[in-house]
Amino acid sequence: MADAVIPPAVLRNLSDKLYEKRKNAALEVEGIVKSLAAAGDHEKISSVINLLTNEFTYSPQANHRKGGLIGLAAATVGLTTEASQHLEQIVRPVLFSFADQDSRVRYYACEALYNIAKVVRGDFIIFFNEIFDALCKLSADSDANVQSAAHLLDRLVKDIVTESDQFSIEEFIPLLRDRMNVLNPYVRQFLVGWITVLDSVPDIDMLGFLPDFLDGLFNMLSDSSHEIRQQADSALSEFLQEIKNSPSVDYGRMAEILVQRAASPDEFTRLTAITWINEFVKLGGDQLVPYYADILGAILPCISDKEDKIRVVARETNEELRSYKADPAEGFDVGAILSIARRQLSSEWEATRIEALHWISTLLNRHRVEVLSSLSDIFETLLKALSDPTDEVVLLVLEVHACIAKDLQHFRQLLVFLVHNFRIDHSLLEKRGALIIRRLCVLLDAERVYRELSTILEGEADLDFASIMVQVLNFILLTSSELADLRDLLKQSLVNSAGKDLFVSLYSSWCHSPMAIISLCLLAQTYQHASTVIQSLVEEDINVKFLVQLDKLIRLLETPIFAYLRLQLLEPGRYTWLLKALNGLLMLLPQQSAAFKILRTRLKTVPSYSFSGDQVKRTSSGNPHPQIIHHIPCGSQIFEDGDINQDVGASNSHNGINFTLRLHEFEQMQRQHRMHAKMQAQSRNSSTPSSKGN
């Protein structure tokens, strides 16, 4: 039937290799279809379209396919307003031709669909998704002419969509979402172009579907093409502005995307993501509360970013987030936030570790019960953080620990774990021990800290560590300004019950170190006991380590802290046991050592006195150590310097301190240390192969 309608000559020309002949034949087809439409003969029109499709468009001959495409376009022009009822027949073969292997056929397919679209306009929308898919592929076509033709068709389709009231954004979004991660630059430009156009249409709510393609737009920010990066950034900026002006936004879904993008290796992507997060934190309110942990996980690393702009925005966002006082009832997950902060404590960047600690501190102040319930998850990490290479981090960690240790249970736990860490990591004790202990004494009360540490060390099984630890604590006690009150209290050990209790509580653990005990006695002014301890020392006790510690003590005696003791030397008649103790130390020092010379020089300055009864007279003798004890009234005995007591039985106890028992305790501990040292020596000897003579 169609062959009878279209003359054979027209059909021959429609498949001719010359474009002009094909074009003239198409005009003939247009006229024929127009006559049939005027006559209302749609059956013959369908036959003509089928002929053009089957004999030409689907033909194996390229020129036939070209003729078929131009013929279908001509038929559509001929149909004009009645084309809609034949649109399915016309458009399908054209869409099929977009995938043709011949680039010229693809070009004519674009041209044909362009002419068809111009005629049918809004009726064309029913094929939109298929046309969009085809255009998406053609935008990256290998042939430049096909690309140009596709761009012309694309602009027309955009015009039709923006003026149509039948366009379905809901059906289009899945199509867009599936293509957003394509890497081809032409396709990316095509997609951003469509997003921008659709967003400009007032009746189309692209903002509501932004979570579906937001990740794809962010992905384009790192494209190698400057133009694509610029287009993606422009689109994102426009959407962010719309978010600021919109009363209803799905912040949650987008927050998840932004968190991922904030960790992008691309600097521009990170900056854009952090900028968006910053705005979201300000605008999102309660919606964002369940996502705070994820957001914090994105912000904290960016605080240490190498790019200054990113660091500034990240810090601002962090402060904004921390200032918002959310409640667990609103979905605020304290445990999740705590977990993020704990993880970031292991960051290689100091600024990030510091902010993580600020968060833990904030959570402790606001949600103490919840934090303490998760303490087991973070406690070990907080202890490890005490080994941080920067002092600022260590000081902040100590503040967090001190805040946790407000409860008695956690106070002891902290100090037990701290001692454990010092035991397994001697470098921590050596490098940071003084800083940690001094700071804890400020934050948690020095006396309380020292009493608890003493209790822990009293039962320490590792005798070598216990000795080292006590020496460290003793040195801090003798030198730190933070412990001045503690030293003042110890000076009152013989006259004050609080001082006595502190002296006794420290004594047992201080027994691990002879020099620590001697120092403690000098500080507590229990000079007679100090002298007794010195005389109780045996050969094994006076080793290199002991002499090193003694050297330190002699030098400390010359510092302002021991000014009171040096002034007491002005009254040798009253402080006989002090003189005896210092002379005892002098006798233990090698004569060629600097410490020996320092102490001997000091003792030479002690004035010589003799006295009888209550009168004290200057002697002419040059002997700096007169036998003052001979001038004490008969029956009297000096039990502690400055106190002459008629009751001889009291010599074993003063102010409730049983010095005989204390001495026994010290000697027993030293026997344990000597036995331990002997066993270690035997172990070393047995592990060394013995050499036999010939």
Side-chain angles (χ1 to χ4, degrees), residues 132-322:
F132 178 85
D133 184 46
L135 285 172
C136 187
K137 294 171 183 174
L138 291 173
S139 66
D141 199 278
S142 57
D143 189 281
N145 290 325
V146 175
Q147 278 192 18
S148 297
H151 289 158
L152 285 173
L153 175 59
D154 182 50
R155 283 202 289 271
L156 176 61
V157 175
K158 283 173 181 171
D159 289 340
I160 293 170
V161 167
T162 55
E163 67 188 27
S164 172
D165 58 358
Q166 298 177 36
F167 176 74
S168 172
I169 185 67
E170 290 82 2
E171 293 179 13
F172 168 69
I173 288 298
L175 199 66
L176 176 65
R177 182 179 59 235
D178 292 344
R179 285 155 182 76
M180 283 305 292
N181 289 319
V182 173
L183 299 178
N184 187 285
Y186 298 109
V187 174
R188 284 183 160 184
Q189 282 186 308
F190 170 79
L191 295 172
V192 175
W194 268 99
I195 289 170
T196 304
V197 166
L198 292 175
D199 188 47
S200 67
V201 180
D203 294 336
I204 297 177
D205 179 25
M206 283 295 280
L207 184 60
F209 294 96
L210 181 56
D212 290 287
F213 55 87
L214 179 64
D215 189 59
L217 281 176
F218 266 93
N219 202 23
M220 294 179 192
L221 290 175
S222 58
D223 196 278
S224 57
S225 165
H226 175 72
E227 187 177 357
I228 293 173
R229 292 198 304 271
Q230 201 169 37
Q231 288 177 348
D233 181 48
S234 178
L236 284 167
S237 298
E238 184 60 35
F239 277 119
L240 185 57
Q241 193 58 46
E242 289 176 32
I243 287 170
K244 291 178 183 178
N245 299 326
S246 175
S248 176
V249 177
D250 184 0
Y251 290 102
R253 280 181 63 197
M254 289 189 283
E256 294 176 352
I257 295 166
L258 297 175
V259 163
Q260 297 297 320
R261 290 296 168 181
S264 168
D266 178 67
E267 187 178 290
F268 186 49
T269 304
R270 290 199 307 278
L271 176 59
T272 307
I274 283 293
T275 303
W276 274 62
I277 290 173
N278 180 269
E279 294 296 338
F280 274 32
V281 170
K282 293 175 183 175
L283 301 168
D286 295 345
Q287 267 197 61
L288 275 184
V289 171
Y291 301 93
Y292 270 16
D294 293 335
I295 292 172
L296 183 63
I299 292 170
L300 288 179
C302 288
I303 285 173
S304 302
D305 199 277
K306 61 183 179 180
E307 172 57 42
D308 184 58
K309 291 180 181 177
I310 295 175
R311 292 198 303 271
V312 169
V313 179
R315 283 193 174 280
E316 181 187 323
T317 310
N318 184 53
E319 294 302 320
E320 190 77 32
L321 197 65
R322 199 159 56 217

Side-chain angles (χ1 to χ4, degrees), residues 463-464 508 510-514 517 533 535-543 660-680:
L463 296 181
D464 290 335
S508 296
W510 257 238
C511 285
H512 283 291
S513 167
I517 278 291
V533 167
Q535 293 187 57
S536 73
L537 297 174
V538 298
E539 180 183 343
E540 292 94 333
D541 298 330
I542 306 168
N543 51 33
T660 302
L661 183 61
R662 298 278 83 82
L663 181 63
H664 176 71
E665 187 177 6
F666 170 73
E667 290 175 336
Q668 189 176 27
M669 181 61 73
Q670 287 309 299
R671 279 195 294 273
Q672 289 183 34
H673 276 272
R674 287 193 290 271
M675 189 178 299
H676 174 68
K678 189 178 292 184
M679 290 175 65
Q680 282 187 319

Side-chain angles (χ1 to χ4, degrees), residues 507 521 526-534 640 659 662-663:
Y507 193 96
C521 290
T526 57
Y527 301 135
Q528 181 178 358
H529 189 64
S531 178
T532 307
V533 167
I534 292 167
E640 290 298 337
F659 286 107
R662 298 278 83 82
L663 181 63

